[in-house]
Amino acid sequence: MADLAWDEVRTSKADELRVVNQPVRRHDAEEKVAGTTRYAADVHPLGLLHARLVRAPLPCADILRRDISAALEVPGVVAVLLGEDVPNNEIWVDVPGQETEVASLKARAQILATGRVRFQGEPVALIVADSEDAFSAAEEALDIEYEATDGVYDPFEALGESAPPVHEGSNLLAEWSVDRGDVDAAVTQAAVVVEDTYTTQFVDHAYLEPEAGMAYLDDEGVITIRVSTQVVEHFRGVAKVLGVPHSKVRVIAPYVGGGFGGKEDMTVEPYLGLVVHLLKRPVRMVWTRQESLVARPKRHPMVMHYRTGAKADGTLTCQDITITADAGAYAYLSSLVLLYSSVMACGPYRTPNVRIRARAVYTNNPPCSAFRGFGGMQVVFAYESQMDRLAERLGLGRAPIRKRNALAKGDYLPAGQQLLTEVLLGETIDAVLAAAGPLPEPSHQDALVGRGIASNMQPYGRLVWLNDTASAWIGFEQDGSVVVRTGIQDIGAGQVSALTQIAAEVLDIPTDRITIHFGDSARTPRAGTTTATRMLYMSGNAVHDGAVALRDKILAMAAGLTGEPVETLTLAGGHVRSADVEIPLVDVLAKAAAMGATTFVHHTFFGPGGTATPKALDAPRFFPDFTFGTHLADVEVDQRTGKVTLLNYIASHDVGRAINPTTVEGQIIGGAAQGIGQALSEEVTLHSGVVTSGALSQYLIPTAADLPDMQAVVIESGEGLGPYGARGIGEPPIGPSAAAVANAICDATGARPTRLPMRPEAIWRLIRTARREG
C-alpha cells in the first residue's frame, strides 16, 4: 500500500507567530454580548408577508383530499400553496463533486408532500399571510383528509420480509463493510473476548436560533434569501426547485445562531424562494421550537454490537462489529453518516483483524441527517465501553490499555487509510489524568463516586469523494487596509475571526484593518459548507495561501520599483523593507494603481480527491486527516434515585496549532457540554412515529447548573493539514462525552450502562440489576 503525500502536512513554531496562536478578541464578540447582532430573520421590509408550513399529523398516511378554499377566505391569508404549485416538487440530490453510481449516495427530497406522508411533521402545504395572526385560523380551515396506513418504526422490523415499504423497494437504504485479516481465527486465539450491544437515541440540535429567514426580489429580479444556513450554495438547490437559472437566486448567510449540522440541509430556503417566485413580495418564515423538535432531521439512533478480542497484555487482536442506524423516512445524508461510523468504528486503536457490517434503514420516524460528530459520536460510546471492559477483565489500568493500542503516525486504519500527521493520543490521556487530581469524596452515605476516561478520533475536512475546494479573494485598498471575500458561513464558532487572524499574520497588519465579506453567494467566491470541521482547513488554507500570493505580488512590484532583489524584501508593519530600503506600503499601492496593476488575488485551495467505492470500504484515503483527544469525567451517583451528578470534567485534544486559543477552548468545552446532554438527558422520544417530546420542557438540555466548571487542556503538536499546522476542533469534542460518563458510572456502581441517555431511572435499574446478579 503506497504512502500518501506527506508534504500536505503543515507545521509551525509557536514562538515565530505574531497574531496566530494569540487570544485575539473576536470582532463579533461585542455585538453578540450587547445583543445587537442581526440574524437572518431580523429584517422587516415594508409589505412583508409571513409564511408557515402545514405539517402532517400522522407518521404514515395517504393524502385522500385537499381543499384550500375555506383557508383562502380567512382574513389576511394571501395564498395557500400545495405540492402542485412547486415547479419541481421532487428532486434528487447527488453527492456533489463527482458523478457516482453508488445508489445510496442519492437522496430524494420532496418540498410539499402530495400523495403520501412518511413521517409526522412532513410539510403538506404552505400558508402565506399578511400577518402571523391568520395562521391558526387558516390551518384550521384547511381541509386535508388522510388515511392512516401501516408504518414501520423499528429498523430491525423494517428489514423483515413483511415490513411495509417506506419507499418503493427495500427499506435497506445503505450498507458498508470493512474486512481486514481473519476475525474468526483471532477470536478463538484471543486471551479474552468481551461482547455487548450499545444503543443510542434520537437527538435534536436544539440551537438557539431556530430555522429562520426572509426573502425578497431585488431590483435586478434576483430572488434574494437571507437565511440561517450552513450552506450559502443552497442557491443552486432553490433554483432547481423553482426551475430558474442559478444566477437568479442569491443566498446570504449572516451570523448564524448555531448549526451543529442541523442547517446543512435546506430548511426554510425553498419555501421562501417559492413565495417570492410566485407572489413577488418579501416574505419571512421562522419555525417554532416545536417544529424543530418534531420535524427537523435528528442524530441517527444506532444499535451497535461489538465483539472485541485482546491478548493477555491488553493488545487488541480483533473487532467484530455490526451497526444498524435508523435513517428515518428520507435519505438525506444517512449513507455518508454511516460511512463515517464504519471508518471510525474501531476508534484510535491498532486492530489487525476487523469485520464491520453497517447498514442504514428507512423507517417512518423523523428523518436523520448531519449532526456534530457526524457518525463518530455513536461508535465512541461503544468502542470506549469495550476498552474499559477489556481493562477490567484483564486487570489492567484503563489508561495503559489505551496507550498500548494507540495509533501512531504512519499507521493504517482498518479501511485502508494511512495517518499523515502526529498522533498524540497518549499525551491527551496523560493530560486529563494530570489535571484531574484525586477522586472527590462522596457527599453523603448513599452516594458512590467514580472516574471514567474516553478517547476518540474524528476527521476534519469532508470525505475525499467530494473533491472539496474553497476559494478566497484578498486585496489591498489604497490606504493599505485589506478586504477578504469568502463564501463561508460563520455559525458561531468564530470562523470569520480566525480567517482575519490568518490574513493578519501573513500580511503583518492589525486585525482591525481587515474587513471580511462572507456568506453571500452573489459577492463572495465559493468556499463550500461550514460543516465537517472543514472551514478552518479549507478556507483557512485558501486565505493563507492567497495572502501569501498577495504578499509576494506586492513585494515583486516593490522590487521593480526599487531595483532591490525581491528575496531581500519583506512586508511588515505597513512598509516594504530590506536592509537598505523602507517604503510605505501605500506608496507601492499608489504606484501600482497608476500603472493599472491589480493589488488583489483570487485563490482556490484544493483538498484531496477520491472516487466513490461500492459497499466494501478499502481505499488509501477517506478523509483528509483526524483530530485525537481524551476526556475525563468524575461523577457521583445517588444509589437511592440513580441521579448522576458531574463533579469534574476535563477534555484534552491535540489541535495541531490553535489559531485562537480562547476560541479553541470554547469549542472544546461547548462540544463536551453538548455531548453530556446526549449522555444524560437529551432524547427525542417517539411512540409509533409520533414525537412525544415536542417542547424544551420535555427535551431536557443541560443548563449551567447541571455542569461543573469544565476544563480544556489544549495540546499542540504543531502539525496538521490546516494553516500553521492547525487541525479542526469543531466536532471532535462532542465524541467522548457519553463514553467518559458511562465509564465513570460503571466505575462508581459496578453497573455498565449500554443505552443512552443515562437518566436516573435507567441508572437506578442498572444498580438494582447489578446487585441481584451479585
Side-chain angles (χ1 to χ4, degrees):
M1 191 176 294
D3 286 347
L4 297 173
W6 295 91
D7 59 358
E8 294 178 30
V9 178
R10 301 189 179 209
T11 62
S12 67
K13 295 180 180 179
D15 59 2
E16 296 176 352
L17 301 172
R18 302 178 302 273
V19 185
V20 164
N21 206 225
Q22 302 301 314
V24 176
R25 189 179 74 172
R26 284 168 45 176
H27 72 279
D28 61 331
E30 185 173 333
E31 65 181 58
K32 286 185 174 177
V33 170
T36 59
T37 302
R38 292 211 304 173
Y39 291 95
D42 292 339
V43 176
H44 302 268
L46 293 175
L48 182 68
L49 297 174
H50 301 269
R52 179 177 295 179
L53 289 167
V54 178
R55 298 181 179 274
L58 301 174
C60 187
D62 291 328
I63 302 174
L64 301 182
R65 184 171 57 86
R66 294 165 297 161
D67 186 348
I68 67 173
S69 57
L72 288 171
E73 296 299 322
V74 173
V77 170
V78 175
V80 178
L81 304 177
L82 301 174
E84 291 82 356
D85 298 309
V86 184
N88 291 303
N89 191 39
E90 187 170 88
I91 60 173
W92 286 86
V93 180
D94 294 341
V95 168
Q98 65 174 288
E99 294 294 327
T100 175
E101 296 303 319
V102 181
S104 63
L105 299 180
K106 298 173 181 285
R108 183 174 69 173
Q110 193 170 214
I111 306 305
L112 293 171
T114 53
R116 184 171 179 80
V117 294
R118 294 177 172 84
F119 70 98
Q120 182 205 15
E122 184 167 4
V124 295
L126 179 64
I127 299 174
V128 186
D130 285 327
S131 72
E132 294 179 342
D133 297 336
F135 285 137
S136 296
E139 187 166 357
E140 186 174 342
L142 187 63
D143 186 7
I144 301 179
E145 183 180 351
Y146 300 92
E147 182 178 54
T149 57
D150 291 336
V152 60
Y153 309 105
D154 178 274
F156 294 96
E157 294 177 4
L159 294 173
E161 292 184 3
S162 61
V166 178
H167 299 275
E168 292 182 4
S170 170
N171 286 330
L172 179 62
L173 164 62
E175 55 185 333
W176 304 106
S177 65
V178 176
D179 288 283
R180 188 73 59 193
D182 189 335
V183 171
D184 294 327
V187 167
T188 62
Q189 297 166 10
V192 62
V193 176
V194 296
E195 185 172 4
D196 214 329
T197 300
Y198 303 91
T199 304
T200 65
Q201 75 278 42
F202 286 96
V203 184
D204 189 77
H205 305 79
Y207 19 67
L208 288 175
E209 180 194 21
E211 297 81 357
M214 62 83 59
Y216 57 92
L217 195 67
D218 73 9
D219 293 339
E220 286 73 40
V222 175
I223 298 169
T224 302
I225 304 172
R226 177 184 166 93
V227 63
S228 180
T229 182
Q230 295 175 241
V231 187
V232 296
E233 291 175 44
H234 281 162
F235 75 89
R236 299 190 192 97
V238 174
K240 188 173 183 180
V241 169
L242 301 181
V244 301
H246 291 183
S247 60
K248 291 299 182 180
V249 179
R250 174 187 184 187
V251 170
I252 301 171
Y255 286 114
V256 178
F260 313 121
K263 295 169 183 174
E264 178 171 352
D265 302 303
M266 287 197 293
T267 60
V268 301
E269 297 97 315
Y271 307 108
L272 292 170
L274 181 64
V275 173
V276 174
H277 179 60
L278 296 178
L279 303 181
K280 315 302 183 188
R281 288 180 60 184
V283 63
R284 179 177 185 265
M285 175 182 276
V286 178
W287 289 4
T288 66
R289 184 63 63 182
Q290 184 179 18
E291 283 184 280
S292 277
L293 286 169
V294 169
R296 262 308 288 157
K298 312 302 177 192
R299 185 190 293 282
H300 293 78
M302 290 187 183
V303 178
M304 302 161 288
H305 186 82
Y306 270 65
R307 184 168 56 150
T308 309
K311 298 179 181 179
D313 65 356
T315 302
L316 293 177
T317 60
C318 61
Q319 295 259 37
D320 191 3
I321 302 166
T322 60
I323 302 171
T324 302
D326 187 339
Y330 288 93
Y332 283 94
L333 297 174
S334 291
S335 182
L336 293 182
V337 170
L338 186 70
L339 184 150
Y340 276 61
S341 299
S342 302
V343 173
M344 293 183 284
C346 292
Y349 306 113
R350 285 186 298 273
T351 313
N353 303 286
V354 175
R355 178 167 56 218
I356 300 172
R357 299 292 182 265
R359 56 192 180 177
V361 185
Y362 283 123
T363 67
N364 290 110
N365 292 321
C368 295
S369 193
F371 198 128
R372 188 181 197 172
F374 204 90
M377 184 176 185
Q378 296 95 321
V379 293
V380 179
F381 177 53
Y383 65 66
E384 284 301 281
S385 297
Q386 290 288 95
M387 294 300 288
D388 261 31
R389 285 182 184 273
L390 286 174
E392 181 182 359
R393 286 280 300 275
L394 293 168
L396 301 173
R398 292 169 292 176
I401 195 172
R402 287 172 167 82
K403 293 169 71 173
R404 173 180 292 275
N405 291 286
L407 290 164
K409 183 176 180 178
D411 282 348
Y412 290 88
L413 302 180
Q417 177 163 349
Q418 187 180 26
L419 299 179
L420 290 175
T421 55
E422 194 66 68
V423 180
L424 299 185
L425 189 71
E427 285 79 352
T428 65
I429 293 171
D430 293 340
V432 297
L433 291 172
L439 186 67
E441 294 293 325
S443 64
H444 57 86
Q445 63 179 6
D446 291 310
L448 302 170
V449 296
R451 171 169 291 173
I453 63 170
S455 301
N456 80 316
M457 62 185 294
Q458 181 76 30
Y460 61 92
R462 301 175 78 190
L463 181 71
V464 299
W465 297 356
L466 305 183
N467 296 292
D468 205 4
T469 64
S471 297
W473 185 101
I474 308 163
F476 276 110
E477 297 292 355
Q478 288 297 300
D479 64 351
S481 62
V482 171
V483 172
V484 178
R485 303 180 191 275
T486 177
I488 70 163
Q489 302 76 210
D490 191 311
I491 61 173
Q495 285 87 357
V496 170
S497 289
L499 298 186
T500 302
Q501 285 186 254
I502 291 166
E505 180 72 40
V506 174
L507 301 174
D508 195 24
I509 66 171
T511 57
D512 61 7
R513 288 182 61 77
I514 298 176
T515 296
I516 292 191
H517 299 285
F518 64 96
D520 186 333
S521 66
R523 67 173 184 173
T524 57
R526 307 290 176 256
T529 65
T530 301
T531 65
T533 315
R534 66 173 288 282
M535 193 290 301
L536 181 63
Y537 164 52
M538 294 296 298
S539 291
N541 279 334
V543 169
H544 174 274
D545 296 354
V548 168
L550 177 60
R551 181 190 64 194
D552 292 347
K553 186 175 188 177
I554 296 301
L555 293 179
M557 292 178 183
L561 293 172
T562 63
E564 294 285 318
V566 68
E567 61 271 14
T568 67
L569 299 175
T570 61
L571 181 61
H575 291 76
V576 176
R577 294 189 174 106
S578 71
D580 303 316
V581 173
E582 179 173 310
I583 308 174
L585 173 61
V586 293
D587 291 351
V588 178
L589 297 173
K591 289 183 170 62
M595 294 186 297
T598 59
T599 56
F600 63 84
V601 298
H602 181 284
H603 181 79
T604 299
F605 176 77
F606 294 87
T611 302
T613 62
K615 301 173 184 177
L617 299 176
D618 186 4
R621 198 167 199 172
F622 291 94
F623 307 108
D625 194 27
F626 299 86
T627 298
F628 297 83
T630 302
H631 293 198
L632 178 147
D634 290 337
V635 303
E636 180 178 272
V637 182
D638 190 326
Q639 299 181 78
R640 301 166 300 182
T641 64
K643 180 182 178 182
V644 177
T645 301
L646 271 173
L647 305 175
N648 192 25
Y649 200 95
I650 304 166
S652 178
H653 291 266
D654 171 22
V655 303
R657 181 68 65 212
I659 301 299
N660 187 319
T662 302
T663 297
V664 166
E665 290 179 9
Q667 284 289 285
I668 292 174
I669 292 173
Q674 192 172 32
I676 290 168
Q678 175 164 350
L680 294 176
S681 61
E682 294 184 39
E683 181 178 16
V684 177
T685 55
L686 300 164
H687 179 70
S688 297
V690 176
V691 175
T692 58
S693 53
L696 290 181
S697 59
Q698 299 160 312
Y699 185 84
L700 302 178
I701 302 169
T703 68
D706 300 312
L707 301 173
D709 288 336
M710 301 170 69
Q711 182 179 353
V713 182
V714 177
I715 305 292
E716 294 185 278
S717 61
E719 188 172 285
L721 301 190
Y724 302 102
R727 302 185 191 217
I729 196 59
E731 291 182 284
I734 200 173
S737 301
V741 172
N743 288 340
I745 291 171
C746 185
D747 185 52
T749 66
R752 166 65 56 185
T754 59
R755 182 181 291 270
L756 300 181
M758 297 173 285
R759 289 177 173 161
E761 60 271 24
I763 301 304
W764 184 87
R765 292 191 184 97
L766 278 176
I767 294 172
R768 296 303 179 273
T769 301
R771 286 178 176 174
R772 285 197 303 270
E773 295 176 353

